[in-house]
């Protein structure tokens, strides 16, 4: 159970639960490596946990344990009567972290906010392509370039966003990781030194923990930010011990080598709950697991083919094998805990004979395809390989040959976005802001094709409905539009919806102050270790 290097092992050894050291070190056995440390570049929860929820803050934040927003780096805001202007008053006295690689000379101001957003939408900004191929996947996938008219500095502590049209989820969107606020002063220094790439390697923000060091695929180390505007932390050092195997995470947890772990094997949960040295939090996940067909590639460009294949997937078998029953089959792209969920949707009945007959009627015989299986555990899909094997067996019974493929996690995410990707990819989503738009538009809208829309599905009827739903603040009207959109989704079947899971978070009994997030975040501000 050693980490990959002597350095990492020594780092963890220093965190064992002895009373010898006065400093408190909290060890989180994370499930994977971050893609980088600039959260605006990525969409994976693993990356957000390692950067957005440790190093950075946003204008607004989500109240712990909820999907409600509260003041963050903006202490207040005003919205114009027409819903097109949002004016934010920044919190005074917010200090950036001081690290071995940079010492700030000023506090947060409007320049930092302008820089953090402008680099994402202006191709003329010198930071727009500071990472080769940067697509600003979230910003663009949510249609921000078509939404934001301009961002202005009113004065040093006031910023105004002017929108081209009303946007109901706009405030919730600003609390999401892609909207993390960077230090323009730090970025200017990196640019002057010709090392802009370090913004994605050595992050610096206003958040509760300052970045110290990262050893690839082994360990990330942070220290508490002593001047954090939200108050001093109860732990001094935070360590992410990167441990992709859920069984090994469990072993480390019971051995006292980490305090908390994500995404346990479903078969281990009952034993964890019975262990007097552990405690296990749980709640329904605001999530969905799916298999996205590439709807631009034959024969998956035909809805009747996609629907036929969906009828051949034994979802209850996936729930039983992967989750030990701690999940439910999915029929909609929204989770059942989300408002506007279409209760009346009729799911595709598991029927191999009908599936085979419908494929033949569509002129599809001797089909061979690839199914992509994620290499990591995620809350919505604990074991994608096992799920893929069940689907492979089901498809074999209707004459469809399946090759299961996978890649390292960051490569998997990048490759699966390609518009010419072959086959179908298993992925999923945990909501980032509690709004249906974060599922329907972010994952299935035309703006997200080539990004989060892994199905490459560009359906005008669906897209018009979700865009219209953005522009009204009336929740009843939005619900009706989202229900219509879900009906279009079910008819066109760009995905096979697989399951919604229950989320379990096991930890040592000594852990205090951790709040389970409905958004699937792992944030450690406010966490303590009992003596």
């Amino acid at each position: 159970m050693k980490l990959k290097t002597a350095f990492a092992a020594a780092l963890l050894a220093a965190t064992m639960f002895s009373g010898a050291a006065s400093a408190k070190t909290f060890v989180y056995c994370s499930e994977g490596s971050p893609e980088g440390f600039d959260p605006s570049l990525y969409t994976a929860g693993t990356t957000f946990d390692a950067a957005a929820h440790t190093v950075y803050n946003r204008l607004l934040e989500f109240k712990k344990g909820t999907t409600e927003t509260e003041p963050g780096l903006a202490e207040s805001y005003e919205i114009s009567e027409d819903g097109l202007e949002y004016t934010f008053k920044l919190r005074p006295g917010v200090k950036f972290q001081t690290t071995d690689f940079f010492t700030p000379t000023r506090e947060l101001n409007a320049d930092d906010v302008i820089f953090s957003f402008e680099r994402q939408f202006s191709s003329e900004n010198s930071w727009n392509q500071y990472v080769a191929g940067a697509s600003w996947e979230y910003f663009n996938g949510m249609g921000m370039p078509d939404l934001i008219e301009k961002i202005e500095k009113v004065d040093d502590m006031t910023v105004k966003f002017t929108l081209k049209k009303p946007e109901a989820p706009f405030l919730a969107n600003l609390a999401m990781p892609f909207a993390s606020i960077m230090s323009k002063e730090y970025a200017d220094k990196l640019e002057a030194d010709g090392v802009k790439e370090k913004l994605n390697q050595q992050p610096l923000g206003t958040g509760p923990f300052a970045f110290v060091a990262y050893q690839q695929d082994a360990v990330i180390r942070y220290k508490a930010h002593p001047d954090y505007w939200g108050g001093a932390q109860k732990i001094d050092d935070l360590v992410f011990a990167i441990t992709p195997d859920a069984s090994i995470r469990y072993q480390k947890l019971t051995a006292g080598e980490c305090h908390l772990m994500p995404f346990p094997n479903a078969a281990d949960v009952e034993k964890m709950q019975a262990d007097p040295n552990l405690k296990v939090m749980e709640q329904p996940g605001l999530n969905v697991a799916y298999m996205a067909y590439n709807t631009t590639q034959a024969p998956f460009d035909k809805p009747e083919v996609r629907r036929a294949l969906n009828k051949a997937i034994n979802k209850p078998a996936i729930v039983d094998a992967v989750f030990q029953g701690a999940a439910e089959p999915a029929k909609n792209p929204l989770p059942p805990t989300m408002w506007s969920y279409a209760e009346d949707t009729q799911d595709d009945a598991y029927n191999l004979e009908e599936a085979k007959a419908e494929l033949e009627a569509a002129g599809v015989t001797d089909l061979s395809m690839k199914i992509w299986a994620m290499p990591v555990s995620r809350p919505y899909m604990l074991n994608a390989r096992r799920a893929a094997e069940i689907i492979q067996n089901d498809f074999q019974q209707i004459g469809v040959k399946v090759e299961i493929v996978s890649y390292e996690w960051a490569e998997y995410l990048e490759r699966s976005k390609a518009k010419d990707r072959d086959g179908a990819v298993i992925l999923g989503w945990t909501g980032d802001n509690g709004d249906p738009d974060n599922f329907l538009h972010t994952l299935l809208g035309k703006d997200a094709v080539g990004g989060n829309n892994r199905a490459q599905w560009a359906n005008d009827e669906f897209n018009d409905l979700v865009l219209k739903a953005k522009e009204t603040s009336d929740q009843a009207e939005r619900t009706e539009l989202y229900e219509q959109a879900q009906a279009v989704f079910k008819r066109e079947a760009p995905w096979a919806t697989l399951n919604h899971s229950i989320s379990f978070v096991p930890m040592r009994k000594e852990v205090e102050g951790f709040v389970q997030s409905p958004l699937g975040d792992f944030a450690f501000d406010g966490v303590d270790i009992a003596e």
Side-chain angles (χ1 to χ4, degrees):
M1 301 193 303
K2 294 180 180 177
L3 290 177
K4 292 185 176 181
T5 66
F7 167 79
L11 187 60
L12 274 186
T15 69
M16 296 296 286
F17 303 162
S18 68
S22 57
K24 284 187 178 180
T25 299
F26 188 96
V27 182
Y28 170 56
C29 276
S30 67
E31 78 286 1
S33 302
E35 301 148 281
F37 289 92
D38 181 345
S40 302
L41 290 169
Y42 308 106
T43 63
T46 306
T47 300
F48 294 161
D49 292 339
H53 305 310
T54 49
V55 177
Y56 294 108
N57 293 120
R58 289 139 294 280
L59 293 174
L60 302 175
E61 301 284 353
F62 291 110
K63 294 180 183 177
K64 280 193 174 292
T66 78
T67 58
E68 300 174 41
T69 59
E70 64 180 358
L73 296 179
E75 62 179 1
S76 65
Y77 59 85
E78 295 179 355
I79 307 173
S80 62
E81 288 188 10
D82 61 7
L84 296 180
E85 293 182 354
Y86 289 71
T87 304
F88 294 90
K89 283 287 185 183
L90 301 183
R91 186 180 299 276
V94 174
K95 297 182 183 299
F96 286 97
Q97 299 140 0
T98 296
T99 68
D100 291 341
F101 49 85
F102 186 74
T103 300
T105 65
R106 64 166 177 80
E107 297 173 345
L108 172 82
N109 66 31
D111 293 332
D112 303 305
V113 179
I114 300 292
F115 166 74
S116 298
F117 287 95
E118 188 178 75
R119 70 198 183 111
Q120 298 187 58
F121 70 79
S122 173
S123 60
E124 298 178 1
N125 187 286
S126 64
W127 285 86
N128 185 257
Q129 288 297 308
Y130 88 97
V131 170
S135 63
W136 308 104
E137 187 175 347
Y138 231 135
F139 187 87
N140 289 312
M142 296 180 71
M144 289 291 180
D146 295 327
L147 173 67
I148 297 175
E149 178 72 37
K150 57 184 174 179
I151 306 175
E152 300 172 274
K153 175 182 176 179
V154 178
D155 56 46
D156 279 351
M157 299 303 289
T158 311
V159 176
K160 182 167 73 172
F161 289 73
T162 301
L163 308 185
K164 298 176 184 177
K165 55 189 176 183
E167 174 86 351
F170 184 65
L171 290 175
N173 291 346
L174 292 185
M176 291 167 55
F178 83 92
S180 295
I181 304 303
M182 307 278 171
S183 164
K184 185 178 187 299
E185 183 187 22
Y186 176 49
D188 287 346
K189 179 65 164 58
L190 294 178
E191 186 167 17
D193 292 346
V195 289
K196 292 163 69 173
E197 68 278 2
K198 287 190 176 180
L199 191 68
N200 196 33
Q201 300 165 359
Q202 294 181 323
L204 184 140
T206 60
F209 297 98
F211 176 84
V212 175
Y214 172 44
Q215 184 134 2
Q216 180 74 36
D217 299 330
V219 66
I220 316 171
R221 187 180 176 193
Y222 311 85
K223 63 180 180 180
H225 177 16
D227 299 314
Y228 180 48
W229 63 269
Q233 296 305 302
K234 297 174 182 178
I235 56 176
D236 301 286
D237 297 289
L238 174 65
V239 174
F240 278 36
I242 298 167
T243 315
D245 189 301
S247 296
I248 296 177
R249 292 199 295 274
Y250 181 23
Q251 291 171 20
K252 288 183 176 181
L253 188 68
T254 56
E257 294 181 27
C258 62
H259 295 89
L260 185 147
M261 64 168 279
F263 321 135
N265 288 324
D268 293 332
V269 170
E270 189 173 348
K271 289 181 290 183
M272 292 174 169
Q273 292 169 329
D275 188 334
N277 294 312
L278 304 180
K279 53 187 176 183
V280 182
M281 293 182 176
E282 67 176 90
Q283 63 181 214
L286 193 70
N287 63 40
V288 63
Y290 60 82
M291 186 174 74
Y293 303 103
N294 188 339
T295 61
T296 68
Q297 305 292 313
F300 310 111
D301 55 341
K302 297 180 179 180
E304 59 268 31
V305 171
R306 303 192 295 262
R307 289 194 300 267
L309 291 171
N310 287 353
K311 286 187 176 182
I313 298 175
N314 189 343
K315 297 180 190 178
I318 293 174
V319 167
D320 289 342
V322 176
F323 297 94
Q324 304 290 299
E328 63 178 287
K331 62 181 183 179
N332 290 318
L334 291 180
T337 50
M338 175 74 75
W339 62 269
S340 81
Y341 176 81
E343 294 281 359
D344 294 337
T345 298
Q346 294 298 309
D347 201 11
D348 304 300
Y350 177 58
N351 190 315
L352 294 173
E353 289 184 4
E354 283 189 13
K356 187 173 184 179
E358 290 177 14
L359 278 183
E360 291 175 352
V364 177
T365 57
D366 299 321
L367 175 62
S368 295
M369 64 180 291
K370 292 180 180 177
I371 291 181
W372 294 39
M374 298 182 301
V376 298
S377 299
R378 302 301 302 144
Y380 46 76
M381 179 50 69
L382 299 179
N383 190 333
R385 168 70 64 169
R386 183 71 187 100
E389 289 169 350
I390 291 170
I391 298 170
Q392 180 185 47
N393 181 66
D394 287 334
F395 282 9
Q396 184 178 354
Q397 296 181 62
I398 61 169
V400 176
K401 296 179 181 178
V402 169
E403 176 189 357
I404 299 172
V405 298
S406 192
Y407 301 92
E408 181 272 330
W409 185 220
E411 185 179 2
Y412 185 95
L413 291 170
E414 187 62 31
R415 281 176 174 253
S416 63
K417 292 187 293 187
K419 293 183 180 180
D420 61 352
R421 186 206 73 237
D422 53 5
V425 59
I426 294 177
L427 264 174
W429 194 256
T430 298
D432 284 321
N433 66 9
D435 195 284
D437 176 75
N438 185 242
F439 285 81
L440 299 181
H441 182 244
T442 299
L443 301 179
L444 293 157
K446 292 170 71 173
D447 289 320
V449 168
N452 280 328
N453 187 340
R454 292 323 203 269
Q456 315 301 340
W457 186 55
N459 181 281
D460 289 335
E461 182 183 3
F462 177 91
N463 205 64
D464 289 347
L465 288 165
V466 296
L467 290 181
K468 187 176 180 181
K470 281 174 169 282
E471 296 182 15
T472 176
S473 58
D474 186 305
Q475 188 162 313
E477 184 178 346
R478 294 186 75 201
T479 294
E480 183 176 343
L481 291 166
Y482 287 138
E483 287 176 345
Q484 293 175 38
Q486 288 169 83
V488 175
F489 167 89
K490 201 64 182 178
R491 183 189 75 219
E492 298 297 313
W495 297 350
T497 50
L498 299 178
N499 60 264
H500 311 288
S501 71
I502 295 173
S503 179
F504 296 97
V505 182
M507 65 197 76
R508 301 285 303 181
K509 67 178 181 180
E510 298 90 356
V511 175
E512 297 179 343
F514 179 82
V515 179
Q516 187 174 8
S517 169
L519 303 174
D521 305 333
F522 285 84
F524 300 101
D525 53 307
V527 171
D528 197 5
I529 307 165
E531 298 292 345

Coordinates of all heavy atoms in Angstrom, one line a residue, residues 205-261:
G205 N -4.6 31.3 -5.6 CA -5.9 32.0 -5.6 C -6.1 32.6 -4.2 O -5.2 32.9 -3.4
T206 N -7.4 32.7 -3.9 CA -7.8 33.3 -2.6 C -8.4 32.3 -1.6 O -8.9 32.6 -0.6 CB -8.9 34.4 -2.8 OG1 -10.0 33.8 -3.5 CG2 -8.4 35.5 -3.7
G207 N -8.4 31.0 -2.0 CA -9.2 30.0 -1.3 C -8.5 29.5 0.0 O -7.5 30.1 0.4
P208 N -9.2 28.6 0.6 CA -8.8 28.2 2.0 C -7.4 27.5 2.1 O -6.8 27.5 3.2 CB -9.9 27.2 2.4 CG -10.5 26.7 1.2 CD -10.4 27.8 0.2
F209 N -6.9 26.9 1.0 CA -5.7 26.2 1.0 C -4.8 26.6 -0.1 O -5.2 26.8 -1.3 CB -5.9 24.7 0.9 CG -6.7 24.1 2.0 CD1 -8.0 23.9 1.9 CD2 -6.0 23.8 3.2 CE1 -8.8 23.3 3.0 CE2 -6.8 23.3 4.3 CZ -8.1 23.1 4.2
A210 N -3.5 26.8 0.2 CA -2.5 27.2 -0.8 C -1.8 26.0 -1.3 O -1.4 25.1 -0.6 CB -1.5 28.2 -0.2
F211 N -1.5 26.0 -2.6 CA -0.8 24.9 -3.3 C 0.6 24.9 -2.8 O 1.3 25.9 -2.8 CB -0.9 25.0 -4.8 CG -0.2 24.0 -5.6 CD1 -0.7 22.8 -5.9 CD2 1.1 24.3 -6.1 CE1 0.0 21.9 -6.7 CE2 1.8 23.4 -6.8 CZ 1.3 22.2 -7.1
V212 N 1.2 23.7 -2.5 CA 2.6 23.5 -2.2 C 3.3 22.7 -3.2 O 4.3 23.2 -3.8 CB 2.7 22.8 -0.8 CG1 4.2 22.5 -0.5 CG2 2.1 23.6 0.3
A213 N 2.9 21.5 -3.6 CA 3.6 20.7 -4.5 C 2.7 19.6 -5.1 O 1.7 19.2 -4.4 CB 4.8 20.1 -3.9
Y214 N 3.0 19.1 -6.3 CA 2.3 18.0 -6.9 C 3.3 17.0 -7.4 O 4.2 17.4 -8.2 CB 1.4 18.5 -8.0 CG 0.7 17.4 -8.8 CD1 0.2 16.3 -8.2 CD2 0.7 17.5 -10.2 CE1 -0.4 15.3 -9.0 CE2 0.0 16.5 -11.0 CZ -0.5 15.4 -10.3 OH -1.1 14.4 -11.1
Q215 N 3.2 15.7 -7.1 CA 4.0 14.7 -7.7 C 3.0 13.9 -8.5 O 2.1 13.3 -8.0 CB 4.7 13.8 -6.7 CG 5.6 12.8 -7.3 CD 6.9 12.7 -6.6 OE1 7.2 13.3 -5.7 NE2 7.8 11.8 -7.1
Q216 N 3.3 13.9 -9.9 CA 2.3 13.3 -10.8 C 1.8 11.9 -10.4 O 2.6 11.0 -10.1 CB 3.0 13.2 -12.2 CG 2.2 12.6 -13.3 CD 1.1 13.5 -13.8 OE1 1.4 14.7 -13.9 NE2 0.0 13.0 -14.1
D217 N 0.5 11.8 -10.4 CA -0.1 10.5 -10.1 C 0.2 9.9 -8.7 O -0.1 8.7 -8.4 CB 0.2 9.4 -11.1 CG -0.2 9.8 -12.5 OD1 -1.2 10.6 -12.7 OD2 0.5 9.4 -13.5
A218 N 0.7 10.7 -7.8 CA 1.0 10.2 -6.5 C 0.4 11.1 -5.4 O -0.3 10.5 -4.6 CB 2.6 10.2 -6.3
V219 N 0.8 12.3 -5.3 CA 0.4 13.1 -4.1 C 0.3 14.6 -4.5 O 1.1 15.1 -5.3 CB 1.3 12.9 -2.9 CG1 2.7 13.4 -3.2 CG2 0.8 13.5 -1.7
I220 N -0.7 15.3 -3.9 CA -0.8 16.8 -4.0 C -0.7 17.3 -2.5 O -1.4 16.7 -1.7 CB -2.0 17.3 -4.6 CG1 -2.4 16.5 -5.9 CG2 -1.9 18.8 -5.0 CD1 -3.7 16.8 -6.5
R221 N 0.0 18.3 -2.3 CA 0.1 18.8 -1.0 C -0.3 20.3 -0.9 O 0.1 21.1 -1.8 CB 1.6 18.7 -0.5 CG 1.8 19.1 1.0 CD 3.2 18.9 1.4 NE 3.4 19.3 2.8 CZ 4.6 19.6 3.3 NH1 5.7 19.4 2.6 NH2 4.7 20.0 4.6
Y222 N -1.0 20.7 0.1 CA -1.5 22.0 0.3 C -1.2 22.5 1.8 O -1.1 21.6 2.6 CB -3.0 22.2 0.1 CG -3.5 21.6 -1.2 CD1 -3.8 20.2 -1.3 CD2 -3.7 22.4 -2.3 CE1 -4.3 19.7 -2.5 CE2 -4.2 21.8 -3.5 CZ -4.5 20.5 -3.6 OH -5.0 19.9 -4.7
K223 N -1.2 23.8 2.0 CA -1.1 24.3 3.4 C -2.3 25.3 3.5 O -2.8 25.9 2.6 CB 0.2 25.0 3.6 CG 0.4 26.2 2.8 CD 1.8 26.8 3.1 CE 2.0 28.1 2.2 NZ 3.3 28.7 2.4
A224 N -2.7 25.4 4.8 CA -3.8 26.3 5.1 C -3.4 27.8 4.7 O -2.2 28.2 5.0 CB -4.2 26.3 6.5
H225 N -4.3 28.5 4.1 CA -4.1 29.9 3.8 C -4.3 30.7 5.1 O -5.4 30.9 5.5 CB -5.0 30.3 2.7 CG -5.0 31.8 2.3 ND1 -4.0 32.6 2.6 CD2 -5.9 32.5 1.5 CE1 -4.2 33.8 2.0 NE2 -5.4 33.8 1.4
P226 N -3.2 31.3 5.7 CA -3.4 31.9 7.0 C -4.2 33.2 7.0 O -4.8 33.6 8.0 CB -1.9 32.2 7.4 CG -1.2 32.3 6.1 CD -1.8 31.3 5.2
D227 N -4.3 33.8 5.8 CA -5.1 35.1 5.7 C -6.4 34.9 4.9 O -7.0 35.8 4.4 CB -4.3 36.1 5.0 CG -3.0 36.5 5.8 OD1 -3.1 36.6 7.0 OD2 -1.9 36.5 5.1
Y228 N -6.9 33.7 5.0 CA -8.2 33.4 4.2 C -9.3 34.2 4.7 O -9.6 34.3 5.9 CB -8.5 31.9 4.4 CG -9.7 31.4 3.6 CD1 -10.0 31.8 2.3 CD2 -10.7 30.7 4.3 CE1 -11.1 31.4 1.6 CE2 -11.9 30.3 3.6 CZ -12.1 30.6 2.3 OH -13.2 30.2 1.6
W229 N -10.0 34.9 3.8 CA -11.1 35.7 4.2 C -12.3 35.0 4.9 O -13.0 35.6 5.6 CB -11.7 36.5 2.9 CG -12.3 35.5 1.9 CD1 -11.6 35.0 0.8 CD2 -13.6 35.1 1.8 NE1 -12.4 34.2 0.1 CE2 -13.7 34.2 0.7 CE3 -14.7 35.3 2.6 CZ2 -14.9 33.6 0.3 CZ3 -15.9 34.7 2.2 CH2 -16.0 33.8 1.1
G230 N -12.4 33.7 4.6 CA -13.4 32.9 5.3 C -13.1 32.4 6.7 O -13.9 31.7 7.3
G231 N -11.9 32.7 7.1 CA -11.4 32.3 8.5 C -10.4 31.3 8.4 O -10.2 30.5 7.5
A232 N -9.6 31.2 9.5 CA -8.5 30.3 9.6 C -9.0 28.8 9.6 O -10.0 28.5 10.2 CB -7.6 30.5 10.8
Q233 N -8.3 27.9 9.0 CA -8.7 26.5 8.9 C -8.2 25.8 10.2 O -7.2 26.2 10.8 CB -8.1 25.8 7.7 CG -8.6 26.4 6.4 CD -10.1 26.3 6.3 OE1 -10.7 25.3 6.4 NE2 -10.7 27.5 6.1
K234 N -8.9 24.7 10.5 CA -8.6 24.0 11.7 C -7.5 22.9 11.5 O -6.9 22.4 12.4 CB -9.8 23.3 12.3 CG -10.9 24.3 12.7 CD -12.2 23.6 13.1 CE -13.3 24.6 13.5 NZ -14.6 23.9 13.8
I235 N -7.3 22.6 10.2 CA -6.2 21.7 9.8 C -5.1 22.6 9.2 O -5.4 23.6 8.5 CB -6.6 20.6 8.9 CG1 -7.3 21.2 7.6 CG2 -7.5 19.6 9.6 CD1 -7.7 20.1 6.6
D236 N -3.8 22.2 9.4 CA -2.7 23.0 8.9 C -2.3 22.6 7.5 O -1.9 23.4 6.7 CB -1.5 22.8 9.8 CG -1.9 23.3 11.3 OD1 -2.0 24.5 11.5 OD2 -2.1 22.4 12.1
D237 N -2.3 21.3 7.2 CA -1.9 20.7 6.0 C -2.9 19.8 5.4 O -3.5 19.0 6.1 CB -0.5 20.0 6.1 CG 0.6 20.9 6.6 OD1 1.0 21.8 5.8 OD2 1.0 20.8 7.8
L238 N -3.1 19.9 4.1 CA -4.0 19.0 3.4 C -3.2 18.2 2.3 O -2.5 18.8 1.6 CB -5.1 19.8 2.7 CG -6.1 19.1 1.8 CD1 -7.0 18.1 2.6 CD2 -7.0 20.1 1.1
V239 N -3.5 16.9 2.3 CA -2.8 16.0 1.4 C -3.8 15.2 0.6 O -4.7 14.6 1.1 CB -1.8 15.0 2.1 CG1 -1.2 14.0 1.1 CG2 -0.7 15.8 2.8
F240 N -3.7 15.3 -0.8 CA -4.4 14.4 -1.6 C -3.5 13.2 -2.0 O -2.5 13.4 -2.7 CB -4.8 15.1 -2.9 CG -6.0 15.9 -2.8 CD1 -6.3 16.7 -1.7 CD2 -6.9 16.0 -3.9 CE1 -7.5 17.5 -1.6 CE2 -8.1 16.8 -3.8 CZ -8.3 17.6 -2.7
A241 N -3.8 12.0 -1.4 CA -3.0 10.8 -1.8 C -3.8 10.1 -2.9 O -4.8 9.5 -2.7 CB -2.9 9.9 -0.6
I242 N -3.2 10.2 -4.1 CA -3.9 9.7 -5.3 C -3.9 8.2 -5.3 O -2.9 7.6 -5.4 CB -3.3 10.3 -6.5 CG1 -3.4 11.9 -6.5 CG2 -3.9 9.8 -7.8 CD1 -2.6 12.6 -7.5
T243 N -5.1 7.6 -5.2 CA -5.3 6.2 -5.1 C -6.4 5.7 -6.0 O -7.6 5.6 -5.5 CB -5.5 5.8 -3.6 OG1 -4.6 6.5 -2.8 CG2 -5.4 4.3 -3.4
P244 N -6.2 5.4 -7.2 CA -7.3 5.0 -8.1 C -8.1 3.8 -7.8 O -9.3 3.7 -8.1 CB -6.6 4.8 -9.5 CG -5.3 5.6 -9.4 CD -4.9 5.4 -7.9
D245 N -7.5 2.8 -7.1 CA -8.2 1.6 -6.8 C -9.0 1.7 -5.5 O -8.5 2.0 -4.4 CB -7.2 0.5 -6.6 CG -7.8 -0.9 -6.5 OD1 -8.6 -1.1 -5.6 OD2 -7.5 -1.8 -7.3
A246 N -10.3 1.5 -5.6 CA -11.2 1.7 -4.5 C -10.9 0.8 -3.3 O -11.0 1.1 -2.1 CB -12.7 1.6 -4.9
S247 N -10.5 -0.4 -3.6 CA -10.1 -1.4 -2.6 C -8.9 -0.9 -1.8 O -8.9 -1.1 -0.6 CB -9.9 -2.8 -3.2 OG -11.0 -3.3 -3.8
I248 N -7.9 -0.3 -2.5 CA -6.8 0.2 -1.8 C -7.1 1.4 -1.0 O -6.6 1.6 0.1 CB -5.6 0.4 -2.8 CG1 -5.2 -0.9 -3.4 CG2 -4.4 1.1 -2.1 CD1 -4.1 -0.8 -4.5
R249 N -8.0 2.2 -1.5 CA -8.4 3.4 -0.7 C -9.1 2.9 0.6 O -8.8 3.5 1.7 CB -9.5 4.2 -1.5 CG -8.9 4.9 -2.7 CD -9.8 6.1 -3.2 NE -11.1 5.7 -3.7 CZ -11.4 5.3 -4.9 NH1 -10.4 5.3 -5.8 NH2 -12.6 5.0 -5.3
Y250 N -9.8 1.9 0.5 CA -10.5 1.3 1.7 C -9.4 0.8 2.7 O -9.5 1.0 3.9 CB -11.5 0.2 1.3 CG -12.2 -0.4 2.4 CD1 -12.4 0.2 3.6 CD2 -12.8 -1.7 2.2 CE1 -13.2 -0.5 4.6 CE2 -13.5 -2.3 3.2 CZ -13.7 -1.7 4.4 OH -14.4 -2.3 5.4
Q251 N -8.4 0.1 2.2 CA -7.4 -0.4 3.0 C -6.6 0.7 3.7 O -6.3 0.6 4.9 CB -6.4 -1.2 2.2 CG -7.0 -2.6 1.7 CD -6.0 -3.2 0.7 OE1 -4.8 -2.9 0.6 NE2 -6.6 -4.1 -0.2
K252 N -6.4 1.8 3.0 CA -5.7 2.9 3.6 C -6.5 3.6 4.7 O -6.0 4.1 5.7 CB -5.3 3.9 2.5 CG -4.2 3.5 1.6 CD -3.8 4.5 0.6 CE -2.6 4.1 -0.3 NZ -2.3 5.2 -1.2
L253 N -7.8 3.6 4.4 CA -8.7 4.3 5.4 C -8.7 3.5 6.7 O -8.6 4.0 7.8 CB -10.1 4.3 4.8 CG -11.2 5.1 5.6 CD1 -10.8 6.6 5.6 CD2 -12.6 4.9 5.0
T254 N -8.9 2.2 6.6 CA -8.9 1.3 7.8 C -7.5 1.3 8.5 O -7.5 1.1 9.7 CB -9.4 -0.1 7.5 OG1 -8.5 -0.7 6.5 CG2 -10.8 -0.1 7.0
A255 N -6.5 1.4 7.8 CA -5.1 1.4 8.3 C -4.7 2.8 8.9 O -3.7 2.9 9.5 CB -4.1 1.0 7.3
G256 N -5.6 3.8 8.8 CA -5.2 5.1 9.3 C -4.3 5.9 8.4 O -3.7 6.8 8.9
E257 N -4.2 5.5 7.1 CA -3.3 6.2 6.2 C -4.0 7.4 5.5 O -3.4 8.2 4.8 CB -2.7 5.3 5.2 CG -1.7 4.3 5.9 CD -1.1 3.4 4.8 OE1 -0.9 3.8 3.7 OE2 -0.8 2.2 5.2
C258 N -5.3 7.4 5.6 CA -6.1 8.6 5.1 C -7.3 8.7 6.0 O -7.7 7.8 6.7 CB -6.4 8.5 3.7 SG -7.5 7.1 3.2
H259 N -7.9 9.9 6.0 CA -9.0 10.2 6.8 C -10.3 10.1 6.1 O -11.3 9.8 6.8 CB -8.9 11.7 7.3 CG -7.7 12.0 8.2 ND1 -6.5 12.3 7.7 CD2 -7.6 11.9 9.6 CE1 -5.7 12.5 8.7 NE2 -6.3 12.3 9.9
L260 N -10.3 10.2 4.8 CA -11.6 10.2 4.1 C -11.3 9.7 2.7 O -10.3 10.0 2.1 CB -12.2 11.6 4.1 CG -13.6 11.8 3.5 CD1 -14.3 12.9 4.3 CD2 -13.5 12.2 2.0
M261 N -12.3 9.0 2.1 CA -12.1 8.5 0.7 C -13.4 8.7 -0.1 O -14.5 8.7 0.5 CB -11.7 7.1 0.7 CG -12.8 6.1 1.3 SD -12.5 4.4 1.0 CE -13.1 4.2 -0.7

